[in-house]
Amino acid sequence: MASLGAIFVWNSEQASLNQRASGVSRAVERRLVDGEELDADMLRGWVGGTENHEAAIVVQGPDGEQYRVGPQFPGRVVRSWR
């Protein structure tokens, strides 16, 4: 029973993270389509911490520059790629 509970929690966290990653992806794409610059400040709202677990966010722009926000987590983490 405990194993099923742990799997349920894991799947729930992964789904939540995937949803957030999709939201970030849409926001980045919208800025690029509108000809706006990417910057770390536009990503800060997606880091979370009050309603969601905090997240470290890394976005690579079309020019190869990386924008990073949020804390760095040591050890095992849940990841989502979009």
Side-chain angles (χ1 to χ4, degrees):
M1 196 64 134
S3 295
L4 290 177
I7 290 170
F8 178 75
V9 169
W10 178 266
N11 287 342
S12 177
E13 289 301 321
Q14 186 66 57
S16 175
L17 182 61
N18 287 340
Q19 233 175 0
R20 288 168 72 185
S22 292
V24 170
S25 178
R26 286 190 303 273
V28 167
E29 183 177 12
R30 186 173 50 247
R31 286 190 84 147
L32 292 173
V33 167
D34 290 345
E36 297 178 35
E37 296 279 326
L38 295 180
D39 58 37
D41 287 336
M42 60 115 6
L43 300 172
R44 291 193 202 291
W46 298 97
V47 170
T50 50
E51 294 178 16
N52 298 308
H53 293 293
E54 278 191 304
I57 299 173
V58 180
V59 171
Q60 184 168 331
D63 60 357
E65 186 172 353
Q66 287 190 347
Y67 304 92
R68 296 174 179 264
V69 293
Q72 297 300 311
F73 297 101
R76 300 176 73 189
V77 295
V78 179
R79 299 181 196 278
S80 183
W81 305 95
R82 295 277 177 239

